[in-house]
Amino acid sequence: MATDLISTATAKLSNFVDGQFVSDGPEFDDINPADGSLIARVAEAGPEVVDAAVVAARRALGGEWGGYGVRQRAALLYKIADGIEARFDEFVRAESADTGKPVALASRLDVPRAAANFRAFADVIKTASLEGFETETPDGKHALNYAVRKPIGVVGIITPWNLPILLLTWKVAPALACGNAVIVKPSEETPATATLLAEVMRDAGVPNGVFNVVHGFGEGSTGEHLVSHPGIDAITFTGESRTGAAIMKACAPGVKPVSFELGGKNAAIIFADCDRDETIQQMSDAVFLNTGQVCLCAERVYVQRPIFDWFVSAMKEKAEGLNIGWPADKATNMGPLISKAHREKVLSYFRMARELGATVVIGGGVPEFGDARDNGFYVQPTILTGLPESSPCVKEEIFGPVCHIAPFDSEEEAVAMANDTAYGLAASIWTNDLKRAHRVSRRMNVGITWVNCWFLRDLRTPFGGVGLSGIGREGGVHSLNFYSELNNICIRL
Ligand code: NAD
Ligand code: 6OD
């Protein structure tokens, strides 16, 4: 079943170094989470492959690529976007096979965003302005200060499995726009689309060594080799907060700049005056999209008491209406979790919730299909109520199709509950009271607050989190500020 979801060209997934596919050394399995079948064997990049990628990247910076101007780089980014779109169906099949996400979702979200990321940062780099100051000197004359942008050098890009090509290109595009060379390490769970992207880069004419892909695991493997390599100038990472801490430690001796997009335990606050139909429609996505495996998903939902019962039963109806099935089936809108290990983690929270006296409104277990999907990693969409706010299910990121819904009475109480977390990625507020929308949004201790919407993106805006949710902001000019060094030039006039 799985092998027809991925092109035969990628059935053996190789590393991509200096413009060549290389696959010596050990291999690991790429597994389809929908039925547990083997998609491909993947070449694991050891220290020597990572080293070769660093050498190639440094050579590229000093070669033809180093001489590219902004317009040339932007033109190349547009060509890469066109190349992704030309192979749209292959990207969708590969992403769906690796993650188990419905083809409908990969076609609507992941692959279009991959192309959009390249176009967006081509536009940003062409239009970004730089600071300039005329400075008065002590002798009454003037000096001119102006800043120029330079690439940081070789950027290591480490990404997770939940939105693989979306999140990888979100970092590759601005890094290339700024003139860097990159070495990307996709998640070991989802190596396929990064490999396809290497083919697109090669065919678009990206100079050798500018874009390199190294496959493998994290600790003790490719990820660790990459972050601790002295030839890497900066690390940008998306993944778990704990992994971020380990990477920060590895980057400390070289004082390497880091940009981190980490975990979340995001709150949604639903006021009684919200537009009920729209709120339920979008909250269903906010909890269940991508089987709840989006860092922005709302795992904590606070509902004003007068509409609490209505909200719980309307969400239950939404969960009942989800079509859990084969990812390739166009009607499927919920796929499996990424892996057996991740399903164990999610199920352990369901067990813990029951032990702590939660009401399981719906779900809490594993669906049965009577076919090969029973070898996959599905769980039921799950809604919990009745847990204390101190419960691990309310405090820790579960990263599955699950939320805990709790009532609140006052705005003050809702704000306090929403902010009572070590994370701080995103929040959503649902209300028709404009003044309250502004007031509550400003009080959220997060990087992103959505009002009457969720995961609505404008790629020019700052994206990132506070607390355990990350360091720094990417998006628009904020990405340029991470992926380039500003060099101030002061000229006495
Ligand atoms: P993860 O941290 O386990 O792995 C992410 C990547 O880091 C993988 O490529 C992995 O191989 C690599 N890695 C692991 N240990 C490493 C180490 N010691 N050194 C170097 N590399 C290492 O995360 P995951 O399970 O793949 O993804 C899920 C997590 O990502 C969730 O916590 C989710 O919230 C978070 N996430 C955050 C955002 C965001 O924008 N804030 C976006 C997507 C996912
Ligand atoms: O939309 C984005 O740019 C982004 N970084 C999304 C992150 C989603 C987390 O899973």
Side-chain angles (χ1 to χ4, degrees), residues 158-162 167 185-188 217-219 223-224 237-240 243 247 261-264 295 397 399 425 463:
I158 300 180
T159 50
W161 44 258
N162 61 327
L167 292 170
K185 197 209 80 63
S187 168
E188 57 274 27
F217 302 83
E219 196 179 349
E224 197 175 311
F237 167 73
T238 303
E240 278 195 38
T243 312
I247 291 177
E261 298 179 5
L262 307 178
C295 59
E397 182 185 50
F399 221 54
L425 186 57
F463 184 98

Side-chain angles (χ1 to χ4, degrees), residues 1 34-36 324-327 367-376 378:
M1 182 72 199
D35 59 7
I324 308 171
W326 284 110
E368 285 179 16
F369 299 101
D371 60 31
R373 283 171 293 179
D374 291 334
N375 302 321
Y378 289 85

Side-chain angles (χ1 to χ4, degrees), residues 174-196:
L176 296 190
C178 291
N180 299 286
V182 301
I183 303 175
V184 307
K185 197 209 80 63
S187 168
E188 57 274 27
E189 307 280 3
T190 53
T193 47
T195 315
L196 270 180

Side-chain angles (χ1 to χ4, degrees), residues 314-370:
M315 280 296 281
K316 176 169 183 268
E317 215 174 287
K318 280 287 176 197
E320 283 164 348
L322 288 171
N323 198 342
I324 308 171
W326 284 110
D329 183 340
K330 287 203 166 70
T332 295
N333 51 18
M334 193 169 122
L337 293 170
I338 188 68
S339 64
K340 192 169 180 202
H342 187 52
R343 180 165 75 173
E344 273 317 303
K345 175 186 158 187
V346 171
L347 290 175
S348 77
Y349 280 102
F350 292 175
R351 276 194 300 276
M352 200 187 312
R354 282 202 179 86
E355 284 159 19
L356 292 171
T359 299
V360 181
V361 176
I362 188 169
V366 171
E368 285 179 16
F369 299 101

Side-chain angles (χ1 to χ4, degrees), residues 353-427:
R354 282 202 179 86
E355 284 159 19
L356 292 171
T359 299
V360 181
V361 176
I362 188 169
V366 171
E368 285 179 16
F369 299 101
D371 60 31
R373 283 171 293 179
D374 291 334
N375 302 321
F377 314 126
Y378 289 85
V379 290
Q380 295 168 328
T382 297
I383 296 173
L384 308 169
T385 60
L387 283 171
E389 284 295 298
S390 58
S391 152
C393 296
V394 183
K395 285 279 168 266
E396 296 167 16
E397 182 185 50
I398 302 174
F399 221 54
V402 54
C403 69
H404 179 258
I405 312 181
F408 70 88
D409 292 301
S410 68
E411 181 180 308
E412 201 57 34
E413 189 191 1
V415 168
M417 288 198 287
N419 281 339
D420 186 14
T421 171
Y423 291 100
L425 186 57

Side-chain angles (χ1 to χ4, degrees), residues 113 162-163 166-167 170 261 293-296 455 457 463:
R113 246 308 284 281
N162 61 327
L163 303 169
L166 185 161
L167 292 170
W170 169 243
E261 298 179 5
Q293 301 166 118
V294 179
C295 59
L296 307 159
F455 203 1
R457 297 282 288 113
F463 184 98

